[in-house]
Amino acid sequence: MRVFRLTPILIGCCLLAACQAGPGSGKGPASAVPPAPAGTDGAAKPVFLLIPKEMSNTYMRKMYEGFVTACAEFGAEPRFGAVAVNTAQAQIELIDQAVADGNVSAIAVAANDADQLEPALKAAMQAGIQIISLDSAVNRNSRMVHIQQASPEIIGRVLIQATERMTGGEAVVGLISTTPYATNQNLWISWMLQELSDYPEKYKDFHLLPVVYGDDLPDKSKEAALSLLAGHPDLSAIITPSAVSMLAVGRVLLEQGSDVIFTGLGLPSEIAPFIEDGSCPWMYLWNPIDIGYLAAWTAQALYTGEIVGAEGDFFTAGRLGQRVVAGDVDGGTEVLLGDPIKFDKTNIEEWKIVY
Ligand code: RAM
């Protein structure tokens, strides 16, 4: 397994660089993308399906916004999978349906489980459907390429580093994840634990509680936050790498009049009030609209045969410019969006209107 280490200083530099880019500083003008003539010859447009973890998740809907924009640019028909519950089974049913219908050309899936989708996705690939994962990866045998939002190592380490700074280091910290099977959250949590074990002296008074699960659902996340507060009167902070739980946690802390602080990965449009009132001193995310946009362009490059998803392949992803397919630590391949962005009082006004 190729795991590379980044020092805290290097991580700080990456984030600083990311922060210097404002919301309007995309890598290229949208006008650089010539509209594709697809559909003008009367032929049906290829159908590109995005299967979310669950369809009411606001973060997943933001990804779909970018997916729709890209599909309009190159001339595909976008669809959003109606996943009612965030389980692998619900996603398998949609994949099987797409294969049976025979009218889907590409599927981008945010996996609820890394391995369980394998038989369905392999059958889809055999049927000629281009398969990529985004946000939360399927294993390397089940995809052609994964769309990686940002380095999992940076995400995991920076959430612990941030909480240490926010609390002064002497802290009892709760951790609310999504489901126990989510590839992305589990990977980030493994890097959080790595950060703690790499610097035992720095974190000697930093007590991270066992992970609890909010299942990426508002009510379950609310219950998780309430039980952390009830079970740990000395709680100092909550970390949550889930956009859904971030909002639920912010609301619980406000309702309870708690002075516990929180951080994690949230949507600026939803977390702005909590950054403004200081209960979330700062948080991180990347642009979920760009993730969906990049995924659709990657699927298009596979569909046209411009790439096969092998390491070293490259293509132009519309306004995001040239992208290279790189090796992933799991032995498969990935296309990286970039670095996470830090959101705090200095930039939240600017970003809350973007996503
Ligand atoms: C959640 C999803 C997604 C994650 C974001 C930050 O809504 O679980 O996987 O990337 O939050």
Side-chain angles (χ1 to χ4, degrees):
M1 194 164 84
R2 266 191 306 129
V3 176
F4 57 93
R5 290 280 161 84
L6 289 171
T7 64
I9 292 170
L10 181 53
I11 289 174
C13 294
C14 294
L15 291 168
L16 182 67
C19 289
Q20 282 164 348
S25 60
K27 295 209 169 63
S31 58
V33 185
T40 51
D41 58 356
K45 290 179 180 177
V47 172
F48 280 26
L49 172 66
L50 191 157
I51 301 183
K53 283 181 167 176
E54 189 271 324
M55 65 183 170
S56 73
N57 183 318
T58 46
Y59 176 92
M60 296 284 138
R61 290 179 169 270
K62 289 285 169 199
M63 286 199 309
Y64 187 58
E65 272 180 46
F67 194 81
V68 169
T69 301
C71 284
E73 287 172 357
F74 54 71
E77 184 187 324
R79 287 199 193 149
F80 191 59
V83 183
V85 283
N86 51 14
T87 62
Q89 189 50 41
Q91 297 185 316
I92 289 166
E93 282 163 21
L94 278 182
I95 297 161
D96 289 348
Q97 191 62 50
V99 174
D101 290 349
N103 62 355
V104 172
S105 298
I107 295 176
V109 60
N112 282 322
D113 187 287
D115 302 317
Q116 281 193 49
L117 305 183
E118 185 170 334
L121 290 175
K122 277 184 169 165
M125 286 190 277
Q126 269 157 19
I129 302 176
Q130 312 303 319
I131 300 294
I132 61 175
S133 48
L134 77 171
D135 181 61
S136 182
V138 287
N139 70 35
R140 62 180 177 164
N141 303 320
S142 311
R143 67 178 202 242
M144 296 168 170
V145 66
H146 174 62
I147 310 302
Q148 186 72 273
Q149 45 272 58
S151 154
E153 175 172 5
I154 293 179
I155 296 168
R157 286 189 188 272
V158 86
L159 287 177
I160 293 294
Q161 293 165 7
T163 312
E164 191 269 346
R165 277 175 53 207
M166 288 172 189
T167 58
E170 197 179 324
V172 175
V173 180
L175 174 55
I176 303 178
S177 188
T178 57
T179 66
Y181 312 104
T183 324
N184 52 341
Q185 274 84 18
N186 284 347
L187 190 54
W188 299 333
I189 290 169
S190 73
W191 279 113
M192 291 184 205
L193 300 177
Q194 188 68 47
E195 170 71 13
L196 292 174
S197 78
D198 283 349
Y199 304 98
E201 188 53 32
K202 176 177 179 182
Y203 295 111
K204 67 180 183 325
D205 298 317
F206 189 99
H207 302 294
L208 186 67
L209 298 169
V211 58
V212 294
Y213 297 94
D215 284 358
D216 247 356
L217 298 172
D219 287 349
K220 193 153 180 224
S221 302
K222 179 179 176 178
E223 279 168 35
L226 284 170
S227 64
L228 279 173
L229 289 175
H232 304 277
D234 54 349
L235 193 72
S236 338
I238 296 175
I239 303 174
T240 178
S242 153
V244 176
S245 298
M246 279 291 283
L247 182 57
V249 169
R251 286 178 173 164
V252 164
L253 297 178
L254 184 65
E255 278 163 23
Q256 299 294 309
S258 170
D259 58 4
V260 167
I261 55 167
F262 75 110
T263 189
L265 308 172
L267 289 168
S269 55
E270 294 183 337
I271 307 304
F274 307 107
I275 290 185
E276 282 153 8
D277 75 15
S279 56
C280 174
W282 69 88
M283 65 165 189
Y284 301 88
L285 199 69
W286 40 87
N287 186 331
I289 299 168
D290 284 352
I291 287 287
Y293 183 88
L294 179 58
W297 271 103
T298 307
Q300 169 71 355
L302 287 164
Y303 176 69
T304 58
E306 191 180 357
I307 64 170
V308 292
E311 195 168 340
D313 283 358
F314 59 88
F315 62 102
T316 300
R319 64 175 163 75
L320 294 175
Q322 185 173 294
R323 295 284 150 156
V324 179
V325 177
D328 190 358
V329 289
D330 69 358
T333 58
E334 66 176 19
V335 176
L336 180 72
L337 179 66
D339 290 314
I341 304 167
K342 179 181 177 185
F343 299 105
D344 61 14
K345 280 186 177 148
T346 66
N347 64 358
I348 195 66
E349 280 298 308
E350 201 185 347
W351 283 94
K352 72 181 184 188
I353 52 172
V354 185
Y355 54 87

